[in-house]
């Protein structure tokens, strides 16, 4: 990796992934690495600006690197995840919750807006969802314990949806780190 120009770390529901980008401005060569594995290699590109699209992680999340000329032979590199700038993606994914249960830290991501998948400790969980009077309930089993993620509207626009994690009929408070 001699022409490394940008590195990003992206937290997805299946873990944190490292994206690296090489760009050789004399030949136009572009190489994209995801978690150290070469994803894309293009040699002798005569157009030095543009966009490289690929997927990241086990979830095959759509990603892109934008290459824009700033001035002369100076370039700016920005990344996109799921069609959003990295900054927007990070702001939108703040609904990831952590709960300390039975002295084990379970990290849940249950707001995958496109799929509504539930991930626990980087593993996609088998779930059953249902609409209830005041919102939704998503049922799952974690380590032989009956769990439910309850989502209700806060009634306040800035707060949005409130998620509650219930294990064996007990509310589990969010972990404070």
């Amino acid at each position: 990796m001699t022409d490394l120009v940008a590195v990003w770390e992206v937290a997805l529901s299946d873990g944190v992934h490292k994206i690296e980008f090489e760009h050789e401005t004399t030949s136009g060569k572009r190489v994209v690495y995801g978690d150290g594995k070469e994803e894309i290699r293009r040699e002798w590109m005569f157009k030095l600006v543009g966009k490289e699209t690929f997927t990241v992680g086990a979830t095959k999340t759509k990603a892109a690197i934008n290459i824009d000329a700033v001035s002369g032979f100076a370039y700016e590199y920005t990344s996109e995840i799921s069609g959003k700038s990295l900054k927007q993606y990070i702001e939108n994914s703040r609904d990831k919750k952590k709960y300390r249960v039975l002295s084990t830290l379970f990290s849940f991501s249950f707001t995958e807006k496109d799929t509504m998948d539930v991930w626990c400790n980087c593993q996609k969980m088998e779930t059953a969802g249902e609409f209830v009077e005041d919102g939704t309930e998503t049922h799952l089993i974690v380590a032989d314990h009956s769990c439910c993620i309850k989502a209700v509207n806060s009634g306040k626009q800035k707060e949005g949806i409130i998620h509650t994690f219930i294990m064996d009929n007990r509310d589990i408070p969010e972990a404070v780190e």
Side-chain angles (χ1 to χ4, degrees):
M1 280 194 247
T2 57
D3 300 308
L4 189 65
V5 294
V7 178
W8 297 274
E9 286 195 349
V10 181
L12 301 176
S13 55
D14 65 337
V16 176
H17 300 279
K18 187 175 188 178
I19 300 169
E20 298 168 289
F21 183 58
E22 289 182 23
H23 188 215
E24 166 55 52
T25 56
T26 54
S27 69
K29 178 182 84 170
R30 300 177 190 176
V31 184
V32 176
Y33 297 92
D35 296 324
K37 179 181 166 254
E38 189 175 295
E39 299 290 333
I40 295 173
R41 175 177 290 273
R42 300 194 198 291
E43 304 281 351
W44 296 105
M45 300 280 297
F46 294 104
K47 186 175 179 189
L48 297 177
V49 296
K51 185 180 214 173
E52 293 295 338
T53 57
F54 54 99
T55 60
V56 178
T59 57
K60 301 280 187 215
T61 302
K62 291 180 183 175
I65 296 173
N66 298 302
I67 306 131
D68 297 301
V70 179
S71 65
F73 283 99
Y75 297 90
E76 178 180 71
Y77 307 97
T78 56
S79 60
E80 295 177 7
I81 304 294
S82 296
K84 298 179 180 107
S85 72
L86 183 58
K87 182 180 178 187
Q88 284 177 315
Y89 178 81
I90 290 168
E91 288 173 3
N92 289 348
S93 64
R94 291 207 173 135
D95 288 337
K96 294 183 184 344
K97 306 288 183 178
K98 293 183 189 250
Y99 300 90
R100 188 168 299 281
V101 181
L102 306 173
S103 74
T104 304
L105 187 66
F106 290 100
S107 176
F108 283 92
S109 170
F110 49 83
T111 56
E112 295 292 321
K113 293 174 179 76
D114 295 340
T115 63
M116 296 304 289
D117 289 339
V118 174
W119 293 77
C120 175
N121 297 341
C122 301
Q123 302 253 334
K124 184 176 174 184
M125 305 300 291
E126 188 74 31
T127 62
E130 67 177 318
F131 291 100
V132 294
E133 186 176 324
D134 56 348
T136 63
E137 290 183 358
T138 303
H139 301 275
L140 62 149
I141 303 293
V142 176
D144 295 325
H145 294 275
S146 175
C147 301
C148 175
I149 298 168
K150 189 169 187 162
V152 296
N153 190 329
S154 68
K156 299 175 184 168
Q157 186 175 7
K158 290 189 180 194
E159 267 185 53
I161 296 173
I162 298 171
H163 293 94
T164 306
F165 179 59
I166 302 164
M167 179 180 267
D168 297 331
N169 295 317
R170 288 189 357 240
D171 285 9
I172 306 298
E174 190 171 344
V176 178
E177 293 186 14

